[in-house]
Amino acid sequence: MAYQKGSVRLDKAVAAQTQFSRKDVHKMLSRGQILVNGLPVRNFDARVDLSQDEIVVDGQLLALTQYSYLMLHKPRGVVCATADAALPTVLDLVPEELRRSGLAPAGRLDKDTTGFVLLTNDGAFSHRILSPRSHVPKTYLALLDKTPDHSMVEAFAAGVALSPDKHDNLGNGEACPKKIVCMPARLELVEGAPRAARVVIRQGMYHQVKRMFAAFGITVTSLHREQIGGLPLDPSLPEGACRPLSAEEVARIGMESF
Ligand code: URA
């Protein structure tokens, strides 16, 4: 059957919502194991409408969500990558039933940073929340080796000048300047905790928060991401655990700007 009604490629949709690779999906299509509205579909470039079509993969009804969005509470010692030869990755923490092809972290936290990591296979969404132009704020709680002073609040708001790092991706192919000036950021001193501060940034430069404090001679001893956009890390989610986000929670990510 040549099924061409919808806007999404059937093979891509099945791979995104199951643990099957695109190659596995093609094999199943050839064997007639994928049914759309009760009929086997065999062509690899068939398209479907996820809002209407009933898709059955190897006898199982496919949950009709186009993309997957997971909140992970990252512990220390885990890397924000899809694969690593030596260390556990954030994907290793995703339980089998939540694994989808194309799932990847939307932005990176350092190995020793804890907190909210968003995992998704929606590349366009990921790009949007990471782009400094979309102004999606990321909120961090930093523990410091010294007490920050009030003058730093203004300095963060004006844009902290950082020494460039070879990992910085300026994205324009230009030679590295002597100093990189960060976009305005918010620094809040934490009442009753003199060596703690909350920082809100909308860029994601390499080691950005640590380097911003280092510009004032302060070392970050511990860093935790508390919130992405308007969505805080679920306080009931233990370290190392992850759970799917509701559509309303996904929308809250993009709702707050800075
Ligand atoms: N800034 C850092 O320095 N490290 C992180 O992991 C995130 C932001």
Side-chain angles (χ1 to χ4, degrees):
M1 179 194 169
Y3 198 88
Q4 288 298 349
K5 202 171 68 157
S7 58
V8 177
R9 275 185 67 125
L10 174 62
D11 59 349
K12 267 194 169 184
V14 173
Q17 290 168 66
T18 63
Q19 296 153 51
F20 299 118
S21 65
R22 197 92 76 85
K23 211 164 139 195
D24 294 332
V25 174
H26 288 171
K27 279 188 202 149
M28 287 191 286
L29 283 167
S30 308
R31 293 189 205 120
Q33 288 171 305
I34 299 183
L35 310 183
V36 177
N37 302 328
L39 294 173
V41 173
R42 293 178 194 273
N43 57 319
F44 294 179
D45 57 0
R47 290 180 172 271
V48 283
D49 179 345
L50 291 178
S51 67
Q52 292 182 12
D53 292 329
E54 186 187 87
I55 301 167
V56 172
V57 179
D58 205 15
Q60 300 260 2
L61 183 65
L62 197 70
L64 289 179
T65 52
Q66 192 174 2
Y67 293 116
S68 169
Y69 306 87
L70 305 177
M71 173 189 281
L72 170 78
H73 186 165
K74 179 189 163 315
R76 273 171 186 263
V78 172
V79 290
C80 269
T82 49
D84 191 276
L87 293 163
T89 72
V90 284
L91 288 190
D92 295 329
L93 298 176
V94 178
E96 211 164 285
E97 69 280 8
L98 295 178
R99 291 195 186 159
R100 299 288 182 271
S101 79
L103 202 61
R108 285 168 186 244
L109 292 183
D110 299 335
K111 189 176 76 176
D112 59 352
T113 300
T114 59
F116 186 176
V117 172
L118 173 73
L119 295 163
T120 183
N121 52 1
D122 181 347
F125 181 77
S126 193
H127 180 75
R128 192 160 65 77
I129 66 158
L130 293 177
S131 162
R133 266 186 251 143
S134 21
H135 298 210
V136 174
K138 286 98 193 167
T139 306
Y140 295 86
L141 181 67
L143 302 186
L144 310 166
D145 71 338
K146 297 186 194 78
T147 303
D149 67 64
H150 278 92
S151 68
M152 284 173 57
V153 174
E154 272 173 37
F156 272 50
V160 177
L162 302 181
S163 306
D165 184 286
K166 67 176 178 352
H167 293 95
D168 286 328
N169 175 11
L170 300 178
N172 53 11
E174 286 171 16
C176 243
K178 286 218 168 60
K179 286 277 178 196
I180 299 171
V181 179
C182 297
M183 287 181 170
R186 211 157 53 222
L187 174 70
E188 292 164 15
L189 308 184
V190 179
E191 233 184 271
R195 292 193 183 175
R198 194 159 273 116
V199 184
V200 186
I201 58 174
R202 67 171 197 245
Q203 286 165 293
M205 283 196 291
Y206 182 70
H207 286 174
Q208 183 168 338
V209 173
K210 292 172 186 164
R211 286 161 70 199
M212 287 167 83
F213 281 103
F216 296 87
I218 296 178
T219 301
V220 173
T221 55
S222 154
L223 191 62
H224 178 79
R225 183 151 70 190
E226 297 182 316
Q227 187 159 329
I228 302 178
L231 187 67
L233 178 67
D234 180 345
S236 70
L237 194 66
E239 270 200 6
C242 97
R243 69 157 175 85
L245 294 177
S246 66
E248 187 264 335
E249 287 175 318
V250 174
R252 276 174 65 192
I253 290 179
M255 257 176 212
E256 196 162 291
S257 68
F258 165 49

Short mmCIF file of all heavy atoms in Angstrom, two decimals, residues 119-157:
data_model
loop_
_atom_site.label_atom_id
_atom_site.label_comp_id
_atom_site.label_asym_id
_atom_site.label_seq_id
_atom_site.Cartn_x
_atom_site.Cartn_y
_atom_site.Cartn_z
N LEU A 119 16.26 16.05 27.76
CA LEU A 119 16.61 15.12 26.68
C LEU A 119 15.45 15.11 25.70
O LEU A 119 14.29 14.97 26.11
CB LEU A 119 16.81 13.71 27.24
CG LEU A 119 17.98 13.54 28.21
CD1 LEU A 119 17.81 12.25 28.99
CD2 LEU A 119 19.29 13.52 27.47
N THR A 120 15.77 15.25 24.43
CA THR A 120 14.69 15.23 23.43
C THR A 120 15.22 14.75 22.08
O THR A 120 16.41 14.82 21.81
CB THR A 120 14.03 16.62 23.29
OG1 THR A 120 12.96 16.53 22.35
CG2 THR A 120 15.00 17.69 22.82
N ASN A 121 14.30 14.26 21.25
CA ASN A 121 14.65 13.94 19.86
C ASN A 121 14.04 14.98 18.92
O ASN A 121 13.98 14.77 17.71
CB ASN A 121 14.20 12.52 19.48
CG ASN A 121 12.75 12.28 19.79
OD1 ASN A 121 12.05 13.18 20.27
ND2 ASN A 121 12.27 11.08 19.53
N ASP A 122 13.58 16.09 19.49
CA ASP A 122 13.02 17.19 18.70
C ASP A 122 14.14 18.21 18.48
O ASP A 122 14.34 19.12 19.30
CB ASP A 122 11.84 17.79 19.49
CG ASP A 122 11.16 18.92 18.74
OD1 ASP A 122 11.72 19.42 17.75
OD2 ASP A 122 10.06 19.34 19.17
N GLY A 123 14.86 18.04 17.37
CA GLY A 123 16.03 18.88 17.11
C GLY A 123 15.70 20.36 17.01
O GLY A 123 16.45 21.20 17.48
N ALA A 124 14.55 20.67 16.42
CA ALA A 124 14.20 22.08 16.24
C ALA A 124 13.93 22.74 17.60
O ALA A 124 14.36 23.87 17.86
CB ALA A 124 12.98 22.20 15.34
N PHE A 125 13.27 22.00 18.49
CA PHE A 125 12.97 22.53 19.83
C PHE A 125 14.28 22.75 20.59
O PHE A 125 14.51 23.78 21.23
CB PHE A 125 12.07 21.55 20.59
CG PHE A 125 11.69 22.02 21.96
CD1 PHE A 125 10.72 22.99 22.13
CD2 PHE A 125 12.31 21.49 23.08
CE1 PHE A 125 10.36 23.44 23.40
CE2 PHE A 125 11.96 21.92 24.36
CZ PHE A 125 10.99 22.90 24.51
N SER A 126 15.15 21.75 20.51
CA SER A 126 16.44 21.81 21.17
C SER A 126 17.22 23.05 20.71
O SER A 126 17.74 23.83 21.52
CB SER A 126 17.17 20.53 20.78
OG SER A 126 18.25 20.31 21.54
N HIS A 127 17.24 23.24 19.41
CA HIS A 127 17.96 24.38 18.85
C HIS A 127 17.36 25.70 19.38
O HIS A 127 18.08 26.62 19.75
CB HIS A 127 17.88 24.32 17.33
CG HIS A 127 18.60 25.44 16.67
ND1 HIS A 127 19.97 25.49 16.60
CD2 HIS A 127 18.14 26.58 16.11
CE1 HIS A 127 20.33 26.61 16.00
NE2 HIS A 127 19.23 27.28 15.70
N ARG A 128 16.04 25.72 19.43
CA ARG A 128 15.36 26.96 19.85
C ARG A 128 15.69 27.31 21.30
O ARG A 128 15.99 28.45 21.61
CB ARG A 128 13.85 26.80 19.67
CG ARG A 128 13.08 28.11 19.79
CD ARG A 128 11.71 27.98 19.15
NE ARG A 128 10.86 27.03 19.82
CZ ARG A 128 10.23 27.25 20.97
NH1 ARG A 128 10.36 28.41 21.57
NH2 ARG A 128 9.47 26.33 21.50
N ILE A 129 15.67 26.31 22.18
CA ILE A 129 15.91 26.67 23.58
C ILE A 129 17.39 26.96 23.86
O ILE A 129 17.72 27.63 24.81
CB ILE A 129 15.36 25.64 24.59
CG1 ILE A 129 16.09 24.32 24.48
CG2 ILE A 129 13.87 25.47 24.50
CD1 ILE A 129 15.94 23.53 25.76
N LEU A 130 18.27 26.46 22.98
CA LEU A 130 19.70 26.71 23.19
C LEU A 130 20.16 28.01 22.56
O LEU A 130 21.16 28.59 22.99
CB LEU A 130 20.53 25.56 22.61
CG LEU A 130 20.36 24.22 23.31
CD1 LEU A 130 21.18 23.15 22.61
CD2 LEU A 130 20.79 24.32 24.77
N SER A 131 19.45 28.47 21.55
CA SER A 131 19.91 29.66 20.85
C SER A 131 19.81 30.89 21.76
O SER A 131 18.74 31.17 22.31
CB SER A 131 19.04 29.88 19.61
OG SER A 131 19.20 31.22 19.18
N PRO A 132 20.91 31.63 21.94
CA PRO A 132 20.84 32.83 22.79
C PRO A 132 19.78 33.79 22.29
O PRO A 132 19.19 34.54 23.07
CB PRO A 132 22.23 33.45 22.65
CG PRO A 132 23.12 32.36 22.15
CD PRO A 132 22.25 31.42 21.37
N ARG A 133 19.50 33.74 20.97
CA ARG A 133 18.50 34.67 20.41
C ARG A 133 17.10 34.39 20.92
O ARG A 133 16.25 35.26 20.91
CB ARG A 133 18.52 34.60 18.89
CG ARG A 133 19.42 35.67 18.34
CD ARG A 133 19.34 35.72 16.84
NE ARG A 133 20.59 35.20 16.31
CZ ARG A 133 20.68 34.46 15.23
NH1 ARG A 133 19.62 34.12 14.55
NH2 ARG A 133 21.85 34.05 14.82
N SER A 134 16.82 33.14 21.35
CA SER A 134 15.46 32.89 21.86
C SER A 134 15.32 33.25 23.34
O SER A 134 14.24 33.12 23.90
CB SER A 134 14.98 31.47 21.59
OG SER A 134 15.99 30.60 21.36
N HIS A 135 16.42 33.67 23.96
CA HIS A 135 16.35 34.25 25.32
C HIS A 135 15.78 33.28 26.35
O HIS A 135 15.16 33.72 27.32
CB HIS A 135 15.51 35.53 25.33
CG HIS A 135 16.07 36.62 24.49
ND1 HIS A 135 15.90 37.95 24.78
CD2 HIS A 135 16.82 36.60 23.37
CE1 HIS A 135 16.52 38.68 23.86
NE2 HIS A 135 17.08 37.86 22.99
N VAL A 136 15.93 31.97 26.16
CA VAL A 136 15.42 31.04 27.18
C VAL A 136 16.45 30.99 28.32
O VAL A 136 17.60 30.59 28.12
CB VAL A 136 15.20 29.62 26.60
CG1 VAL A 136 14.82 28.64 27.70
CG2 VAL A 136 14.11 29.65 25.54
N PRO A 137 16.05 31.43 29.53
CA PRO A 137 17.03 31.50 30.61
C PRO A 137 17.31 30.14 31.24
O PRO A 137 16.44 29.28 31.29
CB PRO A 137 16.35 32.43 31.63
CG PRO A 137 14.89 32.33 31.34
CD PRO A 137 14.72 31.92 29.91
N LYS A 138 18.54 29.95 31.69
CA LYS A 138 18.90 28.74 32.44
C LYS A 138 19.38 29.23 33.81
O LYS A 138 20.24 30.11 33.89
CB LYS A 138 20.01 27.96 31.75
CG LYS A 138 19.55 27.20 30.52
CD LYS A 138 19.85 27.95 29.27
CE LYS A 138 19.13 27.38 28.05
NZ LYS A 138 19.20 28.31 26.92
N THR A 139 18.81 28.63 34.86
CA THR A 139 19.09 29.11 36.22
C THR A 139 19.97 28.11 36.96
O THR A 139 19.65 26.91 37.00
CB THR A 139 17.76 29.30 36.99
OG1 THR A 139 16.92 30.15 36.22
CG2 THR A 139 17.98 29.91 38.36
N TYR A 140 21.05 28.61 37.55
CA TYR A 140 22.00 27.75 38.27
C TYR A 140 22.15 28.22 39.70
O TYR A 140 22.14 29.43 39.97
CB TYR A 140 23.38 27.84 37.62
CG TYR A 140 23.44 27.30 36.22
CD1 TYR A 140 23.12 28.10 35.13
CD2 TYR A 140 23.81 25.98 35.98
CE1 TYR A 140 23.17 27.60 33.84
CE2 TYR A 140 23.86 25.47 34.69
CZ TYR A 140 23.54 26.28 33.63
OH TYR A 140 23.59 25.78 32.35
N LEU A 141 22.36 27.27 40.60
CA LEU A 141 22.77 27.61 41.97
C LEU A 141 24.24 27.24 42.08
O LEU A 141 24.62 26.08 41.84
CB LEU A 141 21.93 26.82 42.99
CG LEU A 141 22.29 27.14 44.44
CD1 LEU A 141 21.91 28.58 44.79
CD2 LEU A 141 21.57 26.18 45.40
N ALA A 142 25.06 28.24 42.42
CA ALA A 142 26.50 28.01 42.50
C ALA A 142 26.96 28.14 43.95
O ALA A 142 26.57 29.08 44.65
CB ALA A 142 27.23 29.03 41.64
N LEU A 143 27.77 27.19 44.41
CA LEU A 143 28.43 27.34 45.71
C LEU A 143 29.85 27.79 45.40
O LEU A 143 30.49 27.30 44.45
CB LEU A 143 28.42 26.03 46.49
CG LEU A 143 27.03 25.43 46.77
CD1 LEU A 143 27.15 24.21 47.69
CD2 LEU A 143 26.08 26.46 47.38
N LEU A 144 30.34 28.73 46.22
CA LEU A 144 31.58 29.45 45.87
C LEU A 144 32.61 29.36 46.99
O LEU A 144 32.25 29.12 48.16
CB LEU A 144 31.23 30.93 45.63
CG LEU A 144 30.05 31.17 44.67
CD1 LEU A 144 29.57 32.60 44.75
CD2 LEU A 144 30.44 30.80 43.25
N ASP A 145 33.88 29.61 46.64
CA ASP A 145 34.91 29.56 47.69
C ASP A 145 35.04 30.90 48.41
O ASP A 145 35.74 31.00 49.41
CB ASP A 145 36.26 29.09 47.12
CG ASP A 145 36.91 30.14 46.23
OD1 ASP A 145 36.19 31.03 45.70
OD2 ASP A 145 38.14 30.08 46.06
N LYS A 146 34.40 31.95 47.89
CA LYS A 146 34.45 33.27 48.55
C LYS A 146 33.06 33.90 48.43
O LYS A 146 32.27 33.49 47.58
CB LYS A 146 35.43 34.20 47.84
CG LYS A 146 36.87 33.75 47.86
CD LYS A 146 37.77 34.84 47.26
CE LYS A 146 39.14 34.27 46.96
NZ LYS A 146 39.19 33.47 45.74
N THR A 147 32.86 34.92 49.23
CA THR A 147 31.56 35.61 49.19
C THR A 147 31.55 36.62 48.04
O THR A 147 32.45 37.47 47.97
CB THR A 147 31.34 36.35 50.53
OG1 THR A 147 31.41 35.37 51.56
CG2 THR A 147 30.00 37.06 50.58
N PRO A 148 30.58 36.53 47.12
CA PRO A 148 30.53 37.53 46.05
C PRO A 148 30.02 38.86 46.62
O PRO A 148 29.26 38.87 47.58
CB PRO A 148 29.50 36.94 45.07
CG PRO A 148 28.67 36.02 45.88
CD PRO A 148 29.48 35.56 47.06
N ASP A 149 30.45 39.98 46.04
CA ASP A 149 29.93 41.23 46.59
C ASP A 149 28.90 41.86 45.64
O ASP A 149 28.77 41.46 44.49
CB ASP A 149 31.06 42.20 46.98
CG ASP A 149 31.82 42.67 45.78
OD1 ASP A 149 31.20 43.35 44.94
OD2 ASP A 149 33.02 42.33 45.67
N HIS A 150 28.21 42.86 46.20
CA HIS A 150 27.07 43.44 45.46
C HIS A 150 27.48 44.05 44.12
O HIS A 150 26.67 44.08 43.19
CB HIS A 150 26.37 44.48 46.33
CG HIS A 150 25.41 43.83 47.30
ND1 HIS A 150 25.78 43.45 48.57
CD2 HIS A 150 24.13 43.43 47.12
CE1 HIS A 150 24.75 42.86 49.15
NE2 HIS A 150 23.74 42.83 48.31
N SER A 151 28.73 44.51 44.01
CA SER A 151 29.13 45.15 42.74
C SER A 151 29.08 44.14 41.59
O SER A 151 28.94 44.52 40.42
CB SER A 151 30.54 45.74 42.87
OG SER A 151 31.46 44.66 42.99
N MET A 152 29.19 42.86 41.93
CA MET A 152 29.17 41.84 40.88
C MET A 152 27.78 41.71 40.23
O MET A 152 27.66 41.28 39.09
CB MET A 152 29.60 40.48 41.44
CG MET A 152 31.10 40.40 41.66
SD MET A 152 31.58 38.87 42.50
CE MET A 152 30.94 37.63 41.42
N VAL A 153 26.75 42.09 40.98
CA VAL A 153 25.39 42.00 40.42
C VAL A 153 25.30 42.89 39.18
O VAL A 153 24.83 42.47 38.12
CB VAL A 153 24.34 42.42 41.49
CG1 VAL A 153 22.94 42.47 40.88
CG2 VAL A 153 24.39 41.46 42.68
N GLU A 154 25.85 44.10 39.32
CA GLU A 154 25.84 45.03 38.17
C GLU A 154 26.76 44.56 37.07
O GLU A 154 26.45 44.65 35.88
CB GLU A 154 26.30 46.42 38.63
CG GLU A 154 25.17 47.25 39.13
CD GLU A 154 25.66 48.55 39.73
OE1 GLU A 154 26.63 49.13 39.23
OE2 GLU A 154 25.05 48.95 40.75
N ALA A 155 27.91 44.02 37.46
CA ALA A 155 28.88 43.56 36.46
C ALA A 155 28.29 42.40 35.64
O ALA A 155 28.46 42.34 34.42
CB ALA A 155 30.17 43.12 37.15
N PHE A 156 27.58 41.49 36.30
CA PHE A 156 26.95 40.38 35.56
C PHE A 156 25.88 40.93 34.61
O PHE A 156 25.73 40.47 33.48
CB PHE A 156 26.32 39.36 36.53
CG PHE A 156 27.27 38.27 36.98
CD1 PHE A 156 28.54 38.57 37.47
CD2 PHE A 156 26.90 36.93 36.93
CE1 PHE A 156 29.42 37.56 37.89
CE2 PHE A 156 27.76 35.91 37.33
CZ PHE A 156 29.03 36.22 37.82
N ALA A 157 25.14 41.93 35.09
CA ALA A 157 24.06 42.51 34.26
C ALA A 157 24.64 43.24 33.05
O ALA A 157 24.03 43.28 31.98
CB ALA A 157 23.21 43.45 35.09
#
